[in-house]
Amino acid sequence: MQPPPRQFVVRLARREDVEAFTALVIDADGALERHPESREASHLSIETSIRSLAGQASDAERGYLLLLEDVHSAEIAGCITLTCHIGLEQPFYDYRVGRIVHSSRPLKSYRCLDVLYLSNDLTGCSELHSLYLRAGARGMGAASLLLKAAQLFIRSRLHEFAPRLIAELHGVQDANGASPFWESVGRRFFRVGQREVERLMAKGRKAFVAELMPKHPMYVSLLPTAAQAVVGEVHHSNVGLARELEADGFHFENHVDIFDAGRVMEAHMADLHGVAASRVLSARDCEDVAGERWWIAGGSGADFRVIGGTAAATDDELRIAPALLRRLGARAGDKLLALPLRP
Amino acid sequence: MLTIRPARTADLDALASLAARLPSPTLPSGAWELERLLERSDDAFAAEIDFAGEEEYLLVAVDAADAVVGATLIVAAAGYPGADYSFRNETIVHASRELGVNHRIYALALSHELSGFTLLRPPVALPGTHAARVERALLQAALSLIADQSARFTEDLVAPLPGEVDATGESPFWSAVGSQFFGVSYREAERLALGKDRSFMAELMPHHPIYVPLLPEAAQAVLGQTRDAFMGAYALLSEEGFEGERFVDVFDGGPVFYAKRALARTVHCAQLRPLRIAPGDVAGAGECLLSNRELRHFRAVLGPAVLDAGGYLSTAPEIAARLELIDMDEVRCVFA
């Protein structure tokens, strides 16, 4: 017999989560590259989130750490991070994939060339990053819950975010986990391993990246073949995520990661599914709701919580089971933010 | 005794056979093109010139029997009246205090910097035991002519050498770089580049610098390298003090040597002396390239000569005769 699906809630990280979050980062084994494996780093991430909530963080540091908690066991099973403005302290780099036409009438030659331009175009944008789930929480819609929770959180504090939101997807890796783009491009400029570079990046030592980066535009067709093939391509583990981001209003706007050439997905906040399609409704408790699946956010400030569940909406009310309301920490009559599972 | 003089129409057949034996950018392989080059060279030597333009000066080396054994070509202004394209090999230091890293990265940037500079085509000589000596005399003679005719040439000199090609005649550098922008074969591009109108190149060349470390190994390996046939010229230009590191050819990545005219060894080591004709053997004579400071009647001779105590350059009557000089005429000389 299959175990019943686990129930999760997404909420903001609190001071007492420091041990559990550190354990999650260790479980991620490097996948949470922006969150170094140390109690101090976890403490810092959580404090930043708390200070942001209190309006005490600067524009450059403001960001929120959202955790996925198992409703029954209280295990911290995943996370997602929102940074309100990237690149305001240390520059944020990407490559913009531009296009140049080389044509000659006398030669009857016409060549269309893609060019990688090192850019800081995305400076000041908001970023969705560090999405991670423990193995036991995967394949149950928990990733969607985290993504929608982040969007609903943005909606609840829209003024704190930039007009544009980005999310980086992992670039292609070979069978050994190495990035062909890094191996044939970056490595030749850095002469240290990608892991080492990312470790230093995670420690906030990004200044060295700027100093070592190729600053001239690079013609894609002049790159080693292995690198050409992966520019703007998505790692197989991120294909589902890519699809979901696209459904949520993200587009590939020709920015790629400087290390693995993976896609940077971009969305205008106003077009973001969680912002554009979510509705503020009053909670009305009701047993045996025959409705549809919704992503529902309740509570404000530190008590912000998001779940997925069955509910039915009218013009201004959301009929919802009392058990789900309790899970949200809300009561009948409270304002909820609800996003239909399907548009 | 080797004499270098302006080429004449009568040299056509000899030059055609030289061109057939030694493909080079110095001598066109087609008889018609060669004839046109001879005409242009004749015109150049005859013309009143105020500044370096499209003139081409073709010099030939003849042996004691007046047989043509080599040739070289001087183009007064590279790319004239348009631009001359080359890649400047730029150095970019990638350093990080935090990483303890400091290394140099090279990038090739399209450059017009060499436009209008006097361009020396590599000297070519009939294969044989004296080939190296002939090539050297041709290069020294060309530099002597340039030194004496300062208004006709420029203060900066460039000397491109053909880049390395593989066994099939294809250039690995072209395959990696040029073909991406031109979409034509190396041979076709070479043909077009040697034609008069190079403006098409501007439209097709890469505008952004190209990082050398990102090029395929085969392309990197031939960067700044020339073919076996021009290794002699490579060594000669290096000896003359030309630098081969800063510029490479846009098509095949071959070296483009550069030097200030005044600093080329043959120019700055040269002496201008009154000639003294010494019948019989000249005691203590060393091999010397003598030239007569003329233009249309330019002559340079490689032979024994000595600077005597009185400051005269003593040499044999047959050398003076070849130079078309008499006693006390001023002669330019460079000792080996």
Side-chain angles (χ1 to χ4, degrees):
Chain A
M1 207 178 91
Q2 276 205 330
R6 296 171 70 181
Q7 305 287 329
F8 295 107
V9 60
V10 173
R11 60 168 177 81
L12 286 160
R14 300 188 286 253
R15 286 203 174 87
E16 55 270 31
D17 293 319
V18 66
E19 306 298 345
F21 181 62
T22 306
L24 185 74
V25 172
I26 291 166
D27 182 72
D29 189 26
L32 286 170
E33 56 200 41
R34 312 271 191 97
H35 292 290
E37 289 178 13
S38 78
R39 194 181 184 283
E40 292 68 39
S42 299
H43 174 73
L44 202 65
S45 300
I46 292 169
E47 285 302 317
T48 300
S49 188
I50 290 169
R51 290 198 306 114
S52 298
L53 206 55
Q56 294 163 346
S58 69
D59 280 351
E61 63 183 340
R62 191 183 308 126
Y64 297 94
L65 175 59
L66 295 165
L67 300 178
L68 181 77
E69 184 186 288
D70 184 296
V71 169
H72 302 293
S73 68
E75 182 199 35
I76 298 302
C79 66
I80 195 165
T81 307
L82 281 166
T83 297
C84 295
H85 301 286
I86 57 174
L88 294 189
E89 211 162 52
Q90 302 275 9
F92 182 92
Y93 289 97
D94 62 75
Y95 284 127
R96 182 167 55 79
V97 187
R99 182 158 281 186
I100 286 185
V101 171
H102 283 236
S103 111
S104 165
R105 289 171 74 95
L107 265 181
K108 295 187 178 67
S109 170
Y110 182 96
R111 311 289 277 186
C112 204
L113 300 158
D114 285 343
V115 180
L116 300 181
Y117 296 92
L118 187 64
S119 107
N120 302 122
D121 284 0
L122 302 176
T123 301
C125 289
S126 299
E127 187 186 9
L128 192 65
H129 61 93
S130 303
L131 170 63
Y132 179 71
L133 292 173
R134 284 182 186 272
R138 290 172 202 167
M140 299 173 210
S144 296
L145 174 59
L146 280 163
L147 283 171
K148 301 315 188 253
Q151 293 174 41
L152 291 171
F153 183 79
I154 289 170
R155 160 90 198 251
S156 75
R157 305 176 80 86
L158 204 52
H159 60 284
E160 289 186 358
F161 290 86
R164 197 153 40 138
L165 177 67
I166 68 157
E168 292 181 325
L169 296 172
H170 289 304
V172 173
Q173 295 176 351
D174 64 19
N176 303 317
S179 153
F181 187 80
W182 172 261
E183 291 302 320
S184 49
V185 179
R187 177 180 289 286
R188 301 185 194 203
F189 292 91
F190 288 84
R191 300 194 189 159
V192 294
Q194 183 180 13
R195 249 337 234 245
E196 171 69 3
V197 169
E198 283 174 357
R199 192 180 62 76
L200 287 157
M201 296 268 287
K203 283 176 145 181
R205 297 169 69 183
K206 283 187 180 173
F208 81 96
V209 175
E211 292 161 14
L212 296 183
M213 202 61 67
K215 293 194 174 58
H216 292 303
M218 296 189 287
Y219 295 97
V220 173
S221 58
L222 293 192
L223 297 178
T225 320
Q228 287 184 37
V230 301
V231 172
E233 294 300 315
V234 178
H235 189 261
H236 61 83
S237 71
N238 269 185
V239 170
L241 176 61
R243 208 170 293 139
E244 181 155 358
L245 289 173
E246 278 167 6
D248 284 350
F250 283 85
H251 302 280
F252 175 45
E253 304 270 12
N254 292 325
H255 288 103
V256 299
D257 182 70
I258 55 173
F259 294 110
D260 63 13
R263 287 184 178 205
V264 179
M265 302 295 286
E266 298 172 46
H268 290 281
M269 285 300 191
D271 303 333
L272 196 64
H273 181 53
V275 171
S278 58
R279 298 164 60 189
V280 179
L281 300 168
S282 293
R284 179 163 159 205
D285 55 349
C286 177
E287 296 289 354
D288 301 324
V289 178
E292 283 127 18
R293 293 282 296 175
W294 291 74
W295 308 107
I296 307 157
S300 64
D303 298 323
F304 179 83
R305 293 164 80 84
V306 183
I307 59 168
T310 303
T314 62
D315 278 352
D316 53 3
E317 281 183 340
L318 189 71
R319 291 192 290 164
I320 181 172
L324 291 182
L325 264 187
R326 277 196 300 281
R327 202 174 288 166
L328 283 170
R331 287 180 301 192
D334 284 357
K335 293 288 182 207
L336 301 178
L337 196 53
L339 178 69
L341 184 67
R342 288 185 189 81
Chain B
M1 191 167 53
L2 201 61
T3 306
I4 290 107
R5 58 162 172 79
R8 304 170 183 142
T9 316
D11 297 324
L12 180 62
D13 291 344
L15 288 171
S17 82
L18 188 62
R21 288 184 71 170
L22 290 168
S24 76
T26 310
L27 296 173
S29 52
W32 190 87
E33 286 85 359
L34 197 53
E35 221 177 323
R36 299 289 86 71
L37 175 61
L38 278 164
E39 282 171 10
R40 293 199 300 275
S41 177
D42 250 2
D43 292 348
F45 276 104
E48 298 275 336
I49 300 288
D50 298 323
F51 60 90
E54 59 195 339
E55 309 81 49
E56 291 168 272
Y57 301 85
L58 185 60
L59 296 173
V60 294
V62 297
D63 62 12
D66 269 340
V68 171
V69 292
T72 196
L73 180 69
I74 309 166
V75 180
Y80 189 90
D84 179 79
Y85 290 85
S86 56
F87 278 133
R88 192 176 52 241
N89 195 4
E90 291 189 338
T91 305
I92 300 162
V93 174
H94 279 236
S96 165
R97 191 184 287 264
E98 286 164 295
L99 274 181
V101 164
N102 183 312
H103 57 256
R104 282 159 179 263
I105 296 277
Y106 295 96
L108 305 176
L110 194 64
S111 169
H112 290 167
E113 201 172 324
L114 307 181
S115 298
F117 290 178
T118 292
L119 183 149
L120 293 107
R121 292 289 178 202
V124 290
L126 276 180
T129 47
H130 298 300
R133 211 165 150 260
V134 173
E135 285 179 7
R136 183 192 181 89
L138 279 162
L139 178 61
Q140 290 197 317
L143 289 167
S144 299
L145 178 69
I146 287 168
D148 274 333
Q149 308 295 333
S150 56
R152 289 175 175 265
F153 303 104
T154 62
E155 287 179 19
D156 303 273
L157 308 176
V158 292
L161 294 179
E164 251 189 88
V165 287
D166 64 19
T168 65
E170 271 306 312
S171 156
F173 186 80
W174 175 261
S175 306
V177 180
S179 69
Q180 305 295 331
F181 297 93
F182 286 82
V184 297
S185 77
Y186 174 59
R187 288 160 190 282
E188 177 69 357
E190 238 188 354
R191 191 184 66 74
L192 291 162
L194 289 175
K196 272 291 164 198
D197 181 19
R198 304 189 83 180
S199 64
F200 75 95
M201 291 180 64
E203 299 157 21
L204 296 183
M205 294 305 287
H207 304 295
H208 300 303
I210 292 164
Y211 286 105
V212 173
L214 299 182
L215 292 176
E217 296 293 333
Q220 289 189 43
V222 299
L223 202 59
Q225 302 299 313
T226 192
R227 301 167 200 179
D228 285 349
F230 298 95
M231 288 307 286
Y234 189 104
L236 285 173
L237 289 165
S238 304
E239 271 174 49
E240 282 287 347
F242 280 68
E243 279 182 74
E245 302 291 309
R246 284 176 55 205
F247 294 93
V248 297
D249 185 77
V250 290
F251 290 110
D252 59 20
V256 180
F257 282 90
Y258 166 85
K260 281 275 178 204
R261 174 173 64 187
L263 298 180
R265 185 189 164 277
T266 290
V267 178
H268 88 249
C269 291
Q271 303 182 57
L272 303 175
R273 297 286 175 171
L275 185 70
R276 172 175 285 168
I277 298 172
D281 278 350
V282 184
E287 189 161 75
C288 180
L289 187 91
L290 301 86
S291 57
N292 65 0
R293 312 205 66 200
E294 293 287 331
L295 176 67
R296 294 188 75 166
H297 298 283
F298 174 78
R299 295 292 183 276
V301 177
L302 185 65
V306 68
L307 273 176
D308 66 23
Y312 294 92
L313 185 80
S314 289
T315 192
E318 57 272 28
I319 291 179
R322 284 270 184 167
L323 288 167
E324 301 177 4
L325 294 179
I326 57 170
D327 241 359
M328 300 304 289
D329 276 349
E330 194 172 51
V331 66
R332 172 181 287 270
C333 55
V334 188
F335 284 91

